[in-house]
Amino acid sequence: MGEEYGRVVAVREFDPNKDRDRVEAVERICEVGPSGKLSLFTDLLGDPICRVRHSPAFRMLVAEIGQEIVGMIRGCIKTVTCGKKLSRNGNNSHFIEPVPVYTKLAYILGLRVSPSYRRMGIGLKLVNTMEEWFRDNGAEYSYIATEKDNLASLMLFTNKCGYSKFRTPSILVNPVFAHRISLSQKITIIQLDPSDAERLYRRCFATTEFFPRDIRSILNNKLTLGTFIAVPSGSFSPDTWPGSDLFLSDPPESWAVISVWNCKEVFTLEVRGASLVKRTLAKMTRIVDRALPFLQLPSIPNFFRPFGFHLMYGLGGEGPEAAKMVKALCGHAHNLAKQRGCGAVVTEVSCCEPLKLGIPHWKMLSCAEDLWCIKRLGEDYSDGSVGDWTKSYPGLSIFVDPREF
């Protein structure tokens, strides 16, 4: 309970049976994202908590004045890699290998306050209440993602809540065209089963920052459409694939991997604020692309009404041709998204990710510098010690959890 400007504000647990319609009404009137960019539009499933319910521990709170819901917040907790330490291999004491250092991390998303009730401390009250739950459940750090030009959000989290700027990844968006993308004959793409994909990720990416300890549950989630590895043609095929362990013992010179998450089943996006002229021109590109698909012309999907998208996550690879392998995987993901009626393929990577050059995207739809802010909630009880994670230098890569996108 709290009283702001003479009005009693109650913060309580979200009740899907009585709160869903009122929460969705607040979502609709809260602008998320600048005009002309991709912005969260509506929850396709009619379940406001669906974006975090796939996480190990999650919660949603609402702020209420009288019988009116005026704000909401979502949060979840998981265990992730926050660094690495060197350890001697048990079978060979002379061989030193890096091993992951884990920490319990909380994530805040979906903070909304009705425009009529802003600057009343409601957002701060929601954040403080959620952080109490984080601490009670052993979270050592909390982080949020926001746009760098969202001054109101930055002021709240950095000035009032004690968060600091931490990482600046890039969100890359590529439209799904009316034609399929032709893939290189020099590259073979193989789909891995979830257990094989897990072994590959744990061996290659377990020390990558933000790598989730429960990667198995993500790969086995019904929203993961598959994990795909690209290799030079002639090296392996689906019939001769030896499994990740044997593959990694003698890999080809270059290879790459991604997984695909079906965000279309969670929420939809739309582009707002486009003029009639831009809408008409975009429609013409689709008409031409459908009429002459062999020309492979880039067309603009109908982004001006709600559409679904797929998220590529777990991107990685090695070798001088790895970026080309990534490009082929992105083409495969595009064709999968087209088959499923999506409007875009999206990924988020570290700003200094070496494989970023292989990811096709449109700058006008992408965000070159997203902003993650972090806060230390208490003492560091992580599995091993990296000191204060909030003061650590960024690595080349990050592992973006699709459950929180």
Side-chain angles (χ1 to χ4, degrees):
M1 287 284 187
E3 190 168 343
E4 308 295 338
Y5 296 87
R7 302 183 180 187
V8 176
V9 180
V11 175
R12 60 171 175 79
E13 196 88 20
F14 167 75
D15 184 341
N17 295 320
K18 68 177 183 178
D19 295 336
R20 179 177 294 132
D21 291 342
R22 291 185 293 166
V23 164
E24 289 179 348
V26 176
E27 290 271 16
R28 282 192 289 271
I29 64 174
C30 290
E31 186 69 29
V32 184
S35 176
K37 290 286 187 179
L38 292 181
S39 56
L40 181 62
F41 176 74
T42 184
D43 187 318
L44 188 64
L45 300 182
D47 181 0
I49 205 168
C50 67
R51 288 185 68 194
V52 292
R53 68 181 177 187
H54 298 284
S55 297
F58 60 87
R59 195 183 194 200
M60 180 171 176
L61 303 173
V62 296
E64 196 172 42
I65 296 180
Q67 297 300 311
E68 183 179 4
I69 289 179
V70 297
M72 73 280 297
I73 191 171
R74 302 170 179 88
C76 53
I77 304 172
K78 61 182 178 178
T79 301
V80 305
T81 298
C82 62
K84 58 187 175 183
K85 61 181 179 180
L86 298 179
S87 176
R88 294 188 183 277
N89 187 297
N91 298 323
N92 184 354
S93 61
H94 297 292
F95 180 69
I96 299 177
E97 60 180 352
V99 296
V101 175
Y102 292 106
T103 190
K104 205 165 186 180
L105 176 69
Y107 180 55
I108 290 176
L109 75 162
L111 175 61
R112 309 278 189 270
V113 176
S114 179
S116 302
Y117 293 91
R118 290 174 182 170
R119 297 179 180 85
M120 295 172 56
I122 295 172
L124 178 60
K125 187 177 296 296
L126 284 165
V127 172
N128 288 341
T129 306
M130 184 61 77
E131 287 182 349
E132 289 176 11
W133 179 71
F134 291 161
R135 291 188 180 91
D136 290 343
N137 285 273
E140 297 158 29
Y141 297 92
S142 172
Y143 83 111
I144 60 105
T146 188
E147 295 166 355
K148 64 177 182 178
D149 54 358
N150 188 338
L151 299 181
S153 178
L154 285 176
M155 288 286 287
L156 171 63
F157 283 100
T158 60
N159 287 8
K160 296 183 179 180
C161 298
Y163 287 71
S164 57
K165 296 178 181 180
F166 190 56
R167 301 291 183 256
T168 54
S170 301
I171 300 176
L172 307 178
V173 182
N174 204 44
V176 173
F177 307 128
H179 63 269
R180 288 176 58 85
I181 290 180
S182 299
L183 304 181
S184 171
Q185 298 297 311
K186 297 180 179 181
I187 297 173
T188 297
I189 295 176
I190 301 168
Q191 182 170 357
L192 308 183
D193 65 55
S195 60
D196 204 21
E198 180 189 354
R199 288 193 293 271
L200 186 146
Y201 277 130
R202 289 196 186 279
R203 284 194 58 182
C204 295
F205 308 116
T207 57
T208 300
E209 202 171 40
F210 289 93
F211 181 82
R213 199 172 204 171
D214 65 331
I215 184 65
R216 176 181 301 175
S217 64
I218 300 175
L219 296 171
N220 283 285
N221 191 292
K222 64 180 181 180
L223 295 180
T224 289
L225 300 178
T227 298
F228 306 93
I229 190 166
V231 295
S233 293
S235 57
F236 298 100
S237 71
D239 294 331
T240 62
W241 176 251
S244 293
D245 291 335
L246 289 177
F247 169 79
L248 292 173
S249 67
D250 186 22
E253 185 179 28
S254 298
W255 60 274
V257 64
I258 62 162
S259 296
V260 179
W261 182 267
N262 186 10
C263 290
K264 183 181 179 183
E265 299 301 319
V266 182
F267 61 94
T268 56
L269 302 173
E270 74 171 349
V271 173
R272 297 175 176 170
S275 67
L276 180 60
V277 172
K278 290 182 179 179
R279 291 170 182 258
T280 302
L281 290 174
K283 184 176 181 179
M284 291 301 297
T285 67
R286 294 194 296 275
I287 292 173
V288 173
D289 194 5
R290 289 193 182 95
L292 305 169
F294 57 89
L295 294 179
Q296 301 277 295
L297 298 173
S299 57
I300 304 174
N302 192 354
F303 286 150
F304 312 113
R305 64 181 183 186
F307 65 92
F309 73 98
H310 286 172
L311 176 73
M312 298 185 297
Y313 72 94
L315 179 143
E318 295 179 354
E321 301 293 315
K324 290 184 179 180
M325 302 287 176
V326 167
K327 185 177 181 180
L329 288 170
C330 290
H332 180 75
H334 169 280
N335 294 341
L336 180 62
K338 172 177 165 49
Q339 177 185 336
R340 290 177 167 265
C342 291
V345 178
V346 182
T347 192
E348 186 166 16
V349 296
S350 168
C351 60
C352 34
E353 169 61 57
L355 300 177
K356 186 176 177 180
L357 294 175
I359 304 173
H361 62 281
W362 283 16
K363 290 184 179 180
M364 64 180 294
L365 297 172
S366 302
C367 175
E369 192 174 291
D370 196 22
L371 179 59
W372 291 4
C373 297
I374 196 168
K375 176 181 179 178
R376 193 175 186 180
L377 296 175
E379 293 300 319
D380 188 355
Y381 302 111
S382 57
D383 180 15
S385 177
V386 294
D388 186 349
W389 189 23
T390 67
K391 296 179 173 61
S392 65
Y393 289 103
L396 291 178
S397 303
I398 56 173
F399 196 101
V400 174
D401 193 327
R403 299 170 297 189
E404 299 172 2
F405 190 81

